[in-house]
Amino acid sequence: MSTAFAQVLGSDSKIEIRPLQPTIGAEIGNIDLGQPLSPADRDAIRAAVLKYKVVFFRDQTIDNAQHAAFAREFGPLYVHPSNKHDDKIAPLHKISAEDAARYEDRVRKYVAPGDEYHTDTSWRLVPTWGAVLRAVNLPPVGGDTIWVDANLAYEGLSDEVKARLEGRYVTHDFLGALNGSGHDYPIVSHPVVRTHRETGQKILWVNFTQKPQILGLELAESRALLDEVLRQYKRPEFQVRFSWRPGSVAFWDNRGAVHYAVKNYGDFPRVLERILIADEPLYADL
Ligand code: SIN
């Protein structure tokens, strides 16, 4: 489906939005992320992130400080304890092919290739709500990222599976990486089906890279239910796939979408830089 860019109606914002899929993914144009945002543009971008769950900007030439200034418009920045920080801007961290390969070696014991759909910081009681990811060094081709509309994923379940998931909680175990960085944290659980506190949508919310386990079930039943979740995440109808180009930036709502990095670029030292946006401690549920 291809639609044209459209201005935001009823707003002073000058940004233009082009949906990429019916419910997930939109490209935003007519904005320079290197400049301070007007309140109208900020509000319009925030509304677009809530509506489309992930938005994309093209042809941006921003440095680390501008990247951080943009993200800071949407909440306090989160310093991840186990990712390598930028020397000057602690919340900024690299997502490098090298680190991804190391991480993959560790998680391969319990997650099969192609199954690594995840949300960020799901191990925390209050996970980060947003992420801004910027292209730094891209392979000539490949290295796309996929985001899944986790509300459509929920709606796509059969009534029988919805009933089996009702009231269930899932744990995510990230202790290996955290302890390796000298950080300790209890293992917490979250509802498998969460209600997004801003959109009211029901969200299927599991991180397959952090040994998910549904509490109170035999392991076999937990695995069977998680397979149902994964099957939904993998449905192309619920996804948007983004091909990075120099100058591309993605901004997503970690509460409404899960994502997956496509690793099809051999040994190329792909690098992106990411900043996570913290949620308010009040919102322990979402
Ligand atoms: C991420 O998981 O936040 C990074 C996605 C990517 O490397 O494409």
Side-chain angles (χ1 to χ4, degrees), residues 93 95-96 100 118 120 131 133 143-147 244 252 259-262 265 270 272 274 276:
H93 54 258
I95 305 278
S96 69
H118 64 281
D120 300 319
L133 186 63
D144 294 357
T145 309
I146 290 170
W147 282 264
W244 296 90
W252 67 92
H259 55 282
Y260 175 91
V262 180
Y265 45 88
R270 175 183 184 264
L272 297 100
R274 192 177 71 173
L276 299 173

Side-chain angles (χ1 to χ4, degrees), residues 106-147:
R106 206 171 53 234
V107 300
R108 195 50 72 225
K109 288 178 230 122
Y110 52 85
V111 59
D115 288 357
E116 302 102 329
Y117 287 82
H118 64 281
T119 65
D120 300 319
T121 64
S122 52
W123 51 272
R124 301 194 76 236
L125 187 59
V126 184
T128 47
W129 88 259
V132 180
L133 186 63
R134 176 167 61 105
V136 174
N137 190 31
L138 298 173
V141 66
D144 294 357
T145 309
I146 290 170
W147 282 264

Side-chain angles (χ1 to χ4, degrees), residues 174-253:
F174 192 50
L175 282 186
L178 291 174
N179 290 347
S181 323
H183 193 75
D184 208 3
Y185 202 84
I187 291 189
V188 300
S189 65
H190 294 287
V192 183
V193 180
R194 315 179 82 195
T195 302
H196 192 294
R197 70 178 156 82
E198 295 191 75
T199 65
Q201 290 186 335
K202 285 196 163 182
I203 303 293
L204 205 47
W205 202 83
V206 176
N207 181 339
F208 283 92
T209 67
Q210 292 180 1
K211 300 186 205 162
Q213 199 175 317
I214 299 182
L215 286 175
L217 297 181
E218 294 287 346
L219 279 181
E221 195 181 350
S222 167
R223 274 192 212 112
L225 269 176
L226 291 172
D227 282 348
E228 299 284 350
V229 173
L230 191 57
R231 202 195 325 273
Q232 299 305 311
Y233 286 175
K234 289 183 171 178
R235 286 179 62 179
E237 291 82 0
F238 302 162
Q239 300 180 341
V240 63
R241 180 167 174 151
F242 184 65
S243 293
W244 296 90
R245 295 200 302 252
S248 298
V249 174
F251 177 12
W252 67 92
D253 181 353

